[in-house]
Amino acid sequence: MADSRTRKVRDIFDSMESGPTSSGRPAAWLQSHSGSLGLFIDGSSVCPSDRQTASALDSSGESVCSALCAVDEDVSACVSSSAGGFKAWAALSCHRRAQVLRRLAAAVQKHSQCVSEVCDLFQPPSSPAALVRLVQYHAGWAQLRDLSIPDWSPRGVVAVVVSDDASVYCMWLKVLPALAMGNSVVLVSGPQMAPPSLLLAELCAEAGLPAGALNVLSGSDVSLAGKVVASTGISFLTYCGNKQDGEALCRQTAGWCVPVALSTSPGSVCPVIIFESADIDSALDSVMEAAFKKNREYQWVLYVQESVLDGAIARLKVRMAGMKAVPLLCEADRALVDEAVQEAHRQGATSDLHSPCPPAPSGALYPPTVLSGVAPSCQAVVSPAPGPILPLMSFRGSGEGITLANHSPFVQAASVWTEDLTLSLESVKSLCAGTVWLNSLAVMDPSLSLSGLKEVGNCTDGGREGLYQFLRPSASPPLRCFRPSQVDYATFGAPSPMVCEMFILFISPARVYQHLVGGRQSKAESGCSKAVRSAGGALLAHCPDGGPKDVRNAVEAAIKVQPSWARSPSARVQSLYSLAGSLEKKSRELAASVQTQTGVSLEEAEQEVELSVSRLCEWAARCDKERGGVQSLPQSGSSYSTAEPIGVVGVVLPDSKPLLSLVSLLGAAVAMGNAAIMMPSEKNPLPALEFIQVLLAADLPGGVVSIITGARDQLTKALANHSVIQAIWYWGSKEGCQFLQSSSPLRRLWLHPEEQENGERWTRPDASLLEEMWRQAVVWKSLWIPTA
């Protein structure tokens, strides 16, 4: 504001011109570091003199400070320190760890001005009060970990990677639960996020966090995380930031067999659906407040029911008449906003609804603009530009409105406005979003889980559900790290030249099996089969040699049946009990199949069948029990967290325990309402093929379960090529794990290299192992309902 000290208050209110903010000057904390930030290793800041630096820029593009770029020597020292820090931190009692986090909350409150200035200087602002609430919430879980989450252990050293466009709140939402569960953390950031990262580390040190429990590395970009993973000391990697960097990070770290969780929330879309039964004025006020501000958590898209569209547009015109130009996050965003508006105009949209102030010829300012009549396929709807642009679309019935809102693959949250309770609950159930706000917008709390769907990510952050990504079942050994192999992704899974064995079938006495696809047995689309032999080389049977076309048919059948299958938990209970009964009736045949295929004793084979029957009954009992619950919130209102099925799950089964592993994973998937496409062991397929008769005799709808045999790599690639398949559970080669991490980074992957599989997982009666399977089969949705 030019020379604001000489102007009268009335002049300022008449112009409504923005005044100076604290982000216009360097924070005192940055000044204490002389504008040059180092690394944080083993409990203290280090500033090697021979390192390159990168500049951290404010919204105007001016350099605020410089951050060191770590090299291999720093990475080695950091990971070594984290290993020692994990031993010291995990050795503390839950009470002692909770005390440290409570002291951290007090430190954030004490230095709230400094925290606020640093947050405002680089990122969309994160309120110190919200950060304090975040720390206090996870301090409580640190206290309760052993009581509320028994039989689970911390993973070890966790790498948290944040891109420069992530928010401070998102970064803390990754670091704090990892620390609360007893892990040590290596925080990797680019130059923009280096100041808030180092400030967090210093606050943790002040709170008494053991040296090495939190280390901070900064680099020119997030590619530094690849070196951190290559140090072979990392047990888990989680990322928050833009989609492009996240996918590049997955490709860079593929092959190390380190689980990776992505949260690509920056730039995600939030549809706002206004039904005719809504309070239109309240809805529009909330939308304009959220959409036309500088620091937006989401990119908003407005959907208004046709019967109230004219009234909504008239109200928007009145509200936009007095609005001023909105600052963009940076000047580079202006070109993106202009391009998005021009593209929308070319596709028939109009921008008659906009602020009367003319757009500035240059600079990071843009007038609030509503794009009405925009096409559903327009880029401004699918992936809106980062500016004060609000696409507006109309819909006729509620079903059409939900369909339009689900169109974008980048939807993370949604807002529904209606006074009709039945309509609101139906809409919440049908929306593909991790969080749904009813008659409200952008309500955030650490107790609310936020799941990534489609292109938004593959992990769940926040709430109790967000803690499990940083834990492993105590009965399950930690995953070993492997070095990447030389994998040609273009030729991986390509069908190998082979002679079709169909002519052998006419002269061979061995049994000929068929697939199960869409509830019916069928031959492979290729018409070919493969010989199945015993360990001694004797011919046992012929099984279909399935390929991409068979997977396609299974996916089509699964898409049709899965929504109705997920709708009724009680029907799933009866179907799974029916399946267990059918399995028990054919126990003798299946035991003989297991013995013939694997070479184990008949007694051991019968025990595997008996365990399979028991496992199916356990999953049948869980169908209508695990559904989430009500969350306690500090704000007025109620929140409900519900477990929902993922959709279609692809499962590549292990060689060990061919029947018990099939039943365990099939039960976990379908009990939660998913459809499952099962790929039996290429080495031991006969028990799974014999199990098809059990499925046909049970009361399961056709298409809920498909079983396809064939070459494992070829079928794995076919699964990865289907975008409808939202999760892949894989037991196989480390090359297959590497291929999936590189080609399907945003899917929910559960990978197990065969070099680490010994079969004990399936026979252990451990509750945490079953809970791990169950949690892999669901996504979490949070519903926020405000009260007066």
Side-chain angles (χ1 to χ4, degrees):
M1 185 168 60
D3 197 20
S4 60
R5 291 171 295 179
T6 62
R7 300 177 63 184
K8 296 181 179 180
V9 174
R10 178 170 181 173
D11 296 333
I12 297 174
F13 274 97
D14 286 342
S15 66
M16 293 301 291
E17 189 177 353
S18 299
T21 64
S22 60
S23 61
R25 66 178 191 280
W29 178 78
L30 290 176
Q31 293 177 341
S32 68
H33 285 266
S34 302
S36 180
L37 303 178
L39 313 174
F40 194 89
I41 300 176
D42 206 28
S44 61
S45 296
V46 294
C47 297
S49 58
D50 57 343
R51 302 290 189 266
Q52 293 183 350
T53 61
S55 295
L57 310 177
D58 60 15
S59 60
S60 64
E62 296 182 0
S63 176
V64 176
C65 66
S66 62
L68 258 62
C69 297
V71 296
D72 293 348
E73 179 184 346
D74 303 318
V75 171
S76 299
C78 176
V79 175
S80 176
S81 171
S82 294
F86 168 65
K87 293 179 180 179
W89 181 238
L92 297 179
S93 66
C94 291
H95 176 65
R96 293 285 301 279
R97 287 196 294 269
Q99 281 183 322
V100 172
L101 292 181
R102 287 195 295 270
R103 288 197 295 267
L104 175 60
V108 176
Q109 287 178 316
K110 176 182 176 182
H111 303 288
S112 59
Q113 179 64 29
C114 175
V115 172
S116 178
E117 288 181 353
V118 172
C119 292
D120 290 349
L121 201 56
F122 301 99
Q123 306 298 331
S126 298
S127 164
L131 298 178
V132 170
R133 161 68 179 154
L134 187 63
V135 179
Q136 291 174 339
Y137 177 80
H138 287 100
W141 275 118
Q143 181 78 47
L144 298 174
R145 192 200 75 183
D146 289 348
L147 293 175
S148 299
I149 315 178
D151 302 324
W152 290 77
S153 301
R155 287 184 178 269
V157 181
V158 173
V160 176
V161 185
V162 291
S163 68
D164 283 337
D165 52 1
S167 69
V168 175
Y169 186 90
C170 290
M171 178 186 74
W172 285 44
L173 192 57
K174 296 285 189 181
V175 173
L176 292 173
L179 291 174
M181 294 298 100
N183 302 279
S184 63
V185 174
V186 177
L187 179 54
V188 183
S189 70
Q192 290 293 109
M193 287 296 291
S197 300
L198 290 167
L199 177 59
L200 171 61
E202 292 185 6
L203 291 173
C204 288
E206 181 181 329
L209 190 72
L214 175 60
N215 294 308
V216 177
L217 296 175
S218 57
S220 57
D221 53 42
V222 296
S223 62
L224 176 64
K227 298 180 180 179
V228 174
V229 173
S231 65
T232 69
I234 303 299
S235 302
F236 183 71
L237 186 150
T238 181
Y239 165 87
C240 62
N242 62 71
K243 177 187 173 185
Q244 292 75 17
D245 285 347
E247 290 179 331
L249 180 61
C250 283
R251 288 189 290 269
Q252 188 180 6
T253 58
W256 292 99
C257 293
V258 174
V260 178
L262 300 182
S263 177
T264 58
S265 54
S268 58
V269 176
C270 178
V272 181
I273 307 173
I274 302 178
F275 291 103
E276 60 185 359
S277 56
D279 181 345
I280 307 297
D281 289 305
S282 297
L284 294 179
D285 287 340
S286 298
V287 170
M288 293 188 65
E289 181 182 356
F292 297 142
K293 63 180 182 179
K294 175 182 177 181
N295 301 301
R296 292 169 297 279
E297 297 87 354
Y298 303 97
Q299 304 300 327
W300 305 90
V301 180
L302 181 59
Y303 300 89
V304 181
Q305 194 158 7
E306 209 170 67
S307 57
V308 294
L309 178 63
D310 293 339
I313 290 177
R315 290 174 170 88
L316 281 173
K317 288 182 178 179
V318 174
R319 285 165 170 78
M320 297 190 70
M323 297 192 69
K324 304 297 180 182
V326 177
L328 302 174
L329 288 177
C330 62
E331 294 187 11
D333 287 345
R334 182 181 177 83
L336 298 176
V337 176
D338 285 334
E339 182 181 353
V341 173
Q342 292 169 7
E343 181 190 359
H345 286 165
R346 288 193 295 269
Q347 296 189 21
T350 60
S351 55
D352 298 334
L353 292 172
H354 60 78
S355 173
C357 62
S362 62
L365 290 173
Y366 203 88
T369 303
V370 176
L371 294 172
S372 56
V374 65
S377 59
C378 181
Q379 193 67 17
V381 175
V382 178
S383 180
I389 305 299
L390 181 63
L392 170 62
M393 299 178 63
S394 63
F395 61 90
R396 293 182 291 273
S398 59
E400 181 184 357
I402 298 299
T403 301
L404 290 172
N406 286 333
H407 177 65
S408 173
F410 303 103
V411 173
Q412 184 174 38
S415 176
V416 175
W417 292 80
T418 178
E419 301 296 329
D420 187 332
L421 179 60
T422 301
L423 177 59
S424 64
L425 295 178
E426 289 178 352
S427 301
V428 168
K429 189 70 176 177
S430 303
L431 283 168
C432 295
T435 298
V436 181
W437 299 297
L438 180 58
N439 295 329
S440 57
L441 278 179
V443 180
M444 301 298 294
D445 189 80
S447 63
L448 297 180
S449 61
L450 186 62
S451 290
L453 303 174
K454 297 181 181 178
E455 301 293 313
V456 180
N458 57 12
C459 68
T460 298
D461 294 315
R464 178 189 179 120
E465 293 75 28
L467 303 175
Y468 284 89
Q469 62 182 316
F470 303 108
L471 297 168
R472 62 173 178 83
S474 301
S476 176
L479 289 174
R480 289 181 9 230
C481 287
F482 299 89
R483 293 195 171 274
S485 305
Q486 294 296 326
V487 178
D488 186 349
Y489 298 131
T491 60
F492 178 87
S496 57
M498 60 173 291
V499 178
C500 182
E501 299 182 1
M502 285 301 296
F503 70 95
I504 302 176
L505 305 182
F506 297 103
I507 60 175
S508 172
R511 181 176 175 179
V512 180
Y513 285 92
Q514 292 184 325
H515 288 164
L516 177 67
V517 176
R520 291 178 295 180
Q521 289 183 282
S522 61
K523 299 177 181 179
E525 286 285 340
S526 63
C528 295
S529 67
K530 296 179 66 174
V532 181
R533 301 183 182 275
S534 66
L539 178 64
L540 300 177
H542 297 278
C543 69
D545 185 24
K549 291 183 178 179
D550 301 289
V551 175
R552 178 202 62 196
N553 296 339
V555 169
E556 291 176 353
I559 293 172
K560 293 177 181 178
V561 73
Q562 189 272 328
S564 59
W565 173 249
R567 199 169 295 130
S568 176
S570 60
R572 297 201 300 272
V573 172
Q574 299 303 318
S575 295
L576 287 179
Y577 276 127
S578 170
L579 184 61
S582 298
L583 176 58
E584 194 169 14
K585 290 177 182 178
K586 290 188 171 289
S587 58
R588 184 172 301 176
E589 294 91 333
L590 283 163
S593 176
V594 171
Q595 181 190 28
T596 303
Q597 178 75 88
T598 62
V600 300
S601 65
L602 180 60
E603 181 181 359
E604 189 174 347
E606 289 176 343
Q607 185 180 11
E608 182 173 345
V609 175
E610 184 179 352
L611 281 173
S612 299
V613 174
S614 174
R615 189 65 47 82
L616 275 177
C617 291
E618 290 174 2
W619 287 124
R622 280 177 177 259
C623 283
D624 55 354
K625 308 297 189 303
E626 310 283 2
R627 306 308 302 170
V630 180
Q631 307 297 326
S632 299
L633 301 174
Q635 301 98 324
S636 62
S638 301
S639 173
Y640 302 90
S641 182
T642 62
E644 295 192 343
I646 294 174
V648 182
V649 179
V651 185
V652 181
L653 294 164
D655 293 335
S656 59
K657 302 295 179 183
L659 178 63
L660 183 56
S661 61
L662 165 71
V663 166
S664 298
L665 296 172
L666 179 150
V670 302
M672 297 301 110
N674 302 286
I677 301 175
M678 316 293 292
M679 311 298 180
S681 162
E682 187 176 1
K683 178 182 177 182
N684 302 319
L686 290 190
L689 292 170
E690 194 71 41
F691 186 74
I692 289 177
Q693 300 302 318
V694 177
L695 288 167
L696 292 174
D699 185 23
L700 242 70
V704 171
V705 178
S706 293
I707 296 180
I708 303 173
T709 56
R712 181 174 60 191
D713 289 348
Q714 184 181 2
L715 294 177
T716 298
K717 187 172 184 178
L719 289 175
N721 287 337
H722 279 275
S723 60
V724 173
I725 299 176
Q726 293 296 311
I728 297 178
W729 303 347
Y730 180 84
W731 275 259
S733 65
K734 59 187 180 68
E735 290 80 13
C737 295
Q738 182 173 338
F739 170 78
L740 287 172
Q741 278 193 315
S742 177
S743 63
S744 306
L746 290 174
R747 275 199 181 93
R748 293 176 177 268
L749 300 176
W750 194 22
L751 307 178
H752 302 266
E754 62 187 353
E755 292 83 355
Q756 195 165 293
E757 180 63 31
N758 56 16
E760 293 183 3
R761 166 191 296 271
W762 313 112
T763 56
R764 282 182 179 171
D766 191 278
S768 62
L769 293 174
L770 292 181
E771 185 176 5
E772 182 185 28
M773 296 183 204
W774 168 71
R775 291 190 175 275
Q776 292 289 340
V778 299
V779 292
W780 292 90
K781 178 180 289 185
S782 294
L783 167 63
W784 169 267
I785 302 177
T787 57

